[in-house]
Amino acid sequence: MYRDYVEPAWSVPQILLVALLLVPALGAIAVAMFPAARDRAARIVATGFATVTLLLSVALLFARPNEFGWFAYRSGDGLPMLLWAELDLPWVRSLGLEFHIGVDGVSYPLVVLTGLLTVLCCAYTVKKVPAGGSGRALAALLLTLELGVLGTFLAFDLILFFLFFEVVLLPMYAVIAGWGGANRRAAARKFVLYTLAGSVLLLLGVMIVVTKAGTGDLVTLTGASELTRTTQCVVFALLAVAFAVKAPLWPLHTWLPDAHTEAPTVGSVILAGVLLKMGTYGLIRVGVGVAPDGAAWAAPVLGILATVAIIAGALICLRQTELKRLIAYSSVGHMGFVLLGIATLSVTGIQAALVGNIAHGLITGLLFFLVGAIKDSAGTGSLNQLSGLRETAPRLAGLLGFAAIASLGLPGLAGFWGEAFAVVAAVQRGGPLWLTLAVVAAIGGALTAAYFLRLLRRVTHGPATPEAHTLPPVLSGVEWLAWAPLVLLTLAVGVAPALVLGDTVQPLITLLGVQP
């Protein structure tokens, strides 16, 4: 049954949780109502709303109750955990639905990442609006996407989780179809069809859980004592495929390269930076949390598919000649490492997945910003037409080199931790299968280095092409504003991964029911 639990008065963390959802929603409405003549002003206002949302997410960290830290056990009422910030209110009483939102160490870094990337994308639209539609409409859609993603990371009721999960579908379709490249409509349709298929499976899995357990409360469902093993296996199979579409996991990844190639720069940044994380986060929070026995049953298959994704993504990248498609396929490989970590069902493995999520969002977001700038100025993303960037645009080439070596997993940068510890977790899992997967994944890491070094050799070295001469030798203020935070955070997480992982051990012990 749903908990009959209502706070007598809202605390500061609860107010901040609601504000995190309310501010982008109001911002999207306000920006959409601006007249066409004030398009640039609307984009500036959108950046302001996104900045307020980011500040609210940071304030949430400092408003947490000191006596609980990030996470504590709830005593006396039989519930397994207490989120350090949560709001649980009746929503649809006749259906027993709850408006239950909260945050812990697993979801909080993703909340901040979402706020950061939305600010940077909105600020980027102030400088340049891609052809296809008005800037204010694009900014309003970015704020709507932020609302859906934040709601997904904050929801602790399954029905609420599903609704927020679906909020992002139409706005992302509109961003690709409205401001994308020449084949944008076909790419947008493919994105919608794949995502809708996953949504049907997600809804089916959610309804089975709610019907069998009598509740959709994720706090209560964690550990799934209310569900039989057979039900858990069915539910996890449905949820795993649904989240694999969003992640995406091979062989359900084919919508991703087309979507990235045709999407505008800000669309690619949001898609890679946070939308893909909805799939991996959902697999951890809902899939593993609600159906642990089902996760254990499917873990070997997930591990094999994740390793195939790592190798396949790397081999395809070695053959790519278009910048955005290369970065898009690299996401398939990086998400493979994340899913390998999840498949180990260990604290180390899921910590690798969590830090891999954040690292991928920072680094790939930066890569798509840089590739978008190159493609917009040069008029092409073909590796055959781009070389010599270190001569014509040395600052841009330097940033591209930094992002590439961060993405290939250089120690000391954010990309290293997720990939390395996903392999370590597979080794710790033991047995012929997992040791084989660890070795193959490590080979995939070496192939990742190969295709990024190939990219740098083709683009930054050699004689400068006519297309390379069209790139500006210096970066604009807006570009520095959008890119510098990603560079600094890539360095910070690489040096101190505890910024992401410091408060995840206790939640994961409860989620997995194991010792670290």
Side-chain angles (χ1 to χ4, degrees):
M1 297 299 294
Y2 283 87
R3 291 184 293 164
D4 185 15
Y5 174 76
V6 179
E7 289 282 357
W10 286 15
S11 64
V12 172
Q14 290 173 327
I15 294 171
L16 291 174
L17 286 174
V18 174
L20 276 172
L21 300 177
L22 194 59
V23 170
L26 294 177
I29 295 171
V31 170
M33 293 178 66
F34 268 71
R38 301 189 62 193
D39 192 85
R40 189 172 189 274
R43 285 175 271 144
I44 294 173
V45 169
T47 305
F49 273 99
T51 302
V52 171
T53 305
L54 175 61
L55 294 176
L56 288 170
S57 70
V58 174
L60 191 59
L61 174 65
F62 297 99
R64 71 180 190 262
N66 292 328
E67 63 269 25
F68 292 122
W70 284 87
F71 181 95
Y73 288 100
R74 186 194 295 270
S75 60
D77 58 4
L79 295 175
M81 63 182 179
L82 172 67
L83 305 175
W84 63 263
E86 67 174 326
L87 178 66
D88 189 1
L89 298 173
W91 182 23
V92 183
R93 291 183 181 273
S94 60
L95 299 177
L97 300 182
E98 302 279 324
F99 184 81
H100 188 187
I101 56 177
V103 68
D104 66 357
V106 172
S107 57
Y108 181 75
L110 292 169
V111 170
V112 177
L113 177 66
T114 302
L116 174 65
L117 290 180
T118 305
V119 170
L120 301 183
C121 287
C122 287
Y124 201 74
T125 64
V126 176
K127 170 182 177 286
K128 179 179 176 59
V129 178
S134 68
R136 70 184 187 283
L138 178 58
L141 289 170
L142 290 175
L143 291 174
T144 306
L145 285 167
E146 181 179 36
L147 169 65
V149 176
L150 286 176
T152 301
F153 294 148
L154 295 176
F156 274 83
D157 181 271
L158 276 177
I159 301 297
L160 189 64
F161 176 90
F162 173 78
L163 293 177
F164 277 122
F165 198 89
E166 295 308 304
V167 164
V168 304
L169 177 59
L170 291 181
M172 195 68 234
Y173 169 85
V175 169
I176 298 172
W179 290 268
N183 298 317
R184 59 186 182 274
R185 298 194 183 280
R189 284 195 298 270
K190 194 172 185 180
F191 165 76
V192 166
L193 290 174
Y194 270 80
T195 307
L196 279 176
S199 298
V200 171
L201 299 177
L202 176 59
L203 178 60
L204 184 57
V206 165
M207 295 311 298
I208 291 175
V209 172
V210 172
T211 301
K212 295 290 186 180
T215 180
D217 190 283
L218 283 171
V219 175
T220 304
L221 287 168
T222 298
S225 58
E226 294 85 357
L227 301 177
T228 65
R229 185 180 186 279
T230 300
T231 301
Q232 288 189 44
C233 291
V234 172
V235 166
F236 188 83
L238 293 170
L239 296 178
V241 175
F243 293 133
V245 171
K246 184 73 76 175
L249 175 64
W250 183 92
L252 303 174
H253 67 286
T254 56
W255 63 268
L256 183 68
D258 292 337
H260 272 312
T261 302
E262 300 303 327
T265 298
V266 293
S268 291
V269 171
I270 292 294
L271 180 60
V274 292
L275 260 66
L276 304 189
K277 313 306 176 287
M278 294 167 64
T280 51
Y281 171 80
L283 192 59
I284 295 170
R285 177 73 76 189
V286 181
V288 176
V290 171
D293 290 342
W297 164 72
V301 175
L302 276 182
I304 292 170
L305 291 176
T307 307
V308 171
I310 294 169
I311 297 297
L315 292 177
I316 294 172
C317 284
L318 284 170
R319 299 291 297 171
Q320 284 299 311
T321 59
E322 207 281 332
L323 273 173
K324 290 191 77 173
R325 291 188 75 85
L326 190 152
I327 305 303
Y329 275 112
S330 76
S331 292
V332 175
H334 290 310
M335 288 296 99
F337 280 104
V338 170
L339 289 161
L340 177 62
I342 296 171
T344 64
L345 298 181
S346 65
V347 172
T348 300
I350 296 187
Q351 283 186 318
L354 295 174
V355 74
N357 270 338
I358 300 300
H360 181 264
L362 296 172
I363 298 168
T364 308
L366 177 60
L367 280 169
F368 275 116
F369 269 132
L370 298 172
V371 169
I374 293 171
K375 196 169 182 178
D376 289 342
S377 297
T380 181
S382 173
L383 297 183
N384 298 323
Q385 297 176 272
L386 294 169
S387 66
L389 258 65
R390 65 175 183 172
E391 304 295 335
T392 61
R395 292 174 178 83
L396 186 59
L399 284 173
L400 182 63
F402 171 84
I405 62 173
S407 192
L408 64 82
L410 185 74
L413 298 177
F416 168 74
W417 299 106
E419 296 185 6
F421 280 94
V423 174
V424 168
V427 172
Q428 290 177 341
R429 179 72 184 263
L433 173 63
W434 292 100
L435 290 175
T436 301
L437 295 181
V439 170
V440 175
I443 294 172
L447 293 175
T448 300
Y451 68 72
F452 271 116
L453 292 176
R454 168 181 173 268
L455 165 67
L456 292 178
R457 179 180 63 82
R458 295 283 296 272
V459 175
T460 62
H461 292 66
T465 61
E467 290 81 5
H469 279 291
T470 63
L471 295 169
V474 296
L475 303 177
S476 68
V478 172
E479 288 171 334
W480 278 117
L481 176 67
W483 303 343
L486 300 178
V487 172
L488 294 175
L489 286 172
T490 298
L491 287 167
V493 174
V495 174
L499 292 171
V500 176
L501 300 177
D503 297 292
T504 59
V505 172
Q506 195 63 58
L508 294 180
I509 290 174
T510 299
L511 188 75
L512 296 169
V514 299
Q515 292 299 315

